[in-house]
Amino acid sequence: MMARNRFLNKPSCRVSGAALALALWAACGGEPEMRPPEPLLGLGEVAYPIELWDAGVHGETMLMVHVTAEGMVDSVLVATTSGQAAFDSAAVAGARAMRFRPGTRNGRRVEWWVRLPVSFGRDTVRVGRRPEVDSGRSG
């Protein structure tokens, strides 16, 4: 005998989590339209530590930056160190001062984690190519 749903007086059935997720995905029109945050130009300059400049040292620090739905930087973590504490500190300080065009999902602003490389070269300091989207974004 099949179990009855006492509220709807209809036979109930069990649906696996994967089947339910697939049904919801299809019902919502498929994959959501997503646009990651983009840094605004001219903000968040990174200073090259003078002692490392004088020594001719260069390197790259990879940061994880949490961008709020308003485009502000909420948190900054060093994902991969350059091996030089002064580079890592300068990268974090520069990232904290940055502002972003907020990321969106289906046209709505959302908070988001991005990976942001900061390269220290003898001729230049380059902040990010385009920030990489982290699979662990929130929102």
Side-chain angles (χ1 to χ4, degrees):
M1 183 166 128
M2 185 173 278
R4 293 280 199 188
N5 182 321
R6 65 184 182 153
F7 298 107
L8 300 177
N9 198 22
K10 294 183 179 179
S12 62
C13 62
R14 293 181 185 223
V15 177
S16 73
L20 182 58
L22 182 60
L24 288 173
W25 181 75
C28 292
E31 221 171 294
E33 178 187 334
M34 301 170 75
R35 189 189 77 199
E38 295 177 18
L40 299 176
L41 300 177
L43 298 173
E45 290 188 22
V46 177
Y48 203 118
I50 192 70
E51 66 278 8
L52 297 177
W53 171 266
D54 289 343
V57 178
H58 53 85
E60 180 174 280
T61 300
M62 181 64 74
L63 302 175
M64 291 295 298
V65 178
H66 185 252
V67 180
T68 67
E70 292 76 34
M72 306 296 283
V73 173
D74 178 65
S75 302
V76 180
L77 305 171
V78 176
T80 307
T81 181
S82 64
Q84 301 289 332
F87 280 157
D88 297 345
S89 295
V92 168
R96 287 189 189 281
M98 292 181 76
R99 299 297 174 260
F100 288 77
R101 178 178 309 157
T104 60
R105 181 176 37 195
N106 292 331
R108 295 184 60 179
R109 294 178 175 194
V110 293
E111 58 185 31
W112 208 308
W113 281 96
V114 294
R115 296 177 70 82
L116 186 69
V118 180
S119 298
F120 297 87
R122 187 65 180 172
D123 297 327
T124 184
V125 175
R126 188 176 69 223
V127 179
R129 295 169 279 277
R130 179 179 168 125
E132 301 167 14
V133 177
D134 181 55
S135 59
R137 77 183 182 299
S138 54

